[in-house]
Amino acid sequence: MILSMPDLLTSLTTLKCPCCNGSLHRDDQRDSVYVNCHHCGTFEFAGFRDIGSGKMMLAYYNDAREGTIDDGVLASLEKVLYRRTY
């Protein structure tokens, strides 16, 4: 499943999984935010913040075709939605 940006934002806002319509779990931390589905386990979103300013630095999601995010996906940054540059 490839999500459009509006569908992804709707899922993140309503906390409903676009894959199974289950509830998404949101974990806010000082330097990051993670959103994932505990029901189907195929949707994962991660955002990383600048510790000093709290502004989002990098955000990406993993679609249902890939399952768990692996180091290769993160290294290639193929799923990057937003990356702040200085």
Side-chain angles (χ1 to χ4, degrees):
M1 166 188 282
I2 303 295
L3 291 177
S4 67
M5 184 61 75
D7 290 342
L8 176 64
L9 293 175
T10 297
S11 292
L12 293 173
T13 301
T14 62
L15 292 177
K16 291 289 184 189
C17 179
C19 303
C20 72
N21 208 30
S23 295
L24 293 175
H25 173 72
R26 181 179 173 132
D27 180 13
D28 276 299
Q29 300 177 15
R30 182 172 174 238
D31 62 347
S32 57
V33 60
Y34 299 97
V35 180
N36 57 38
C37 181
H38 288 181
H39 182 71
C40 70
T42 58
F43 177 85
E44 295 184 16
F45 170 87
F48 299 95
R49 297 182 180 121
D50 177 90
I51 292 177
S53 69
K55 292 182 179 180
M56 194 65 69
M57 301 295 295
L58 173 69
Y60 67 93
Y61 86 100
N62 189 40
D63 64 32
R65 293 181 304 143
E66 294 181 8
T68 302
I69 295 173
D70 63 24
D71 293 338
V73 172
L74 184 57
S76 68
L77 300 178
E78 291 175 358
K79 301 292 184 188
V80 169
L81 300 172
Y82 172 79
R83 183 184 348 198
R84 183 181 173 97
T85 57
Y86 292 95

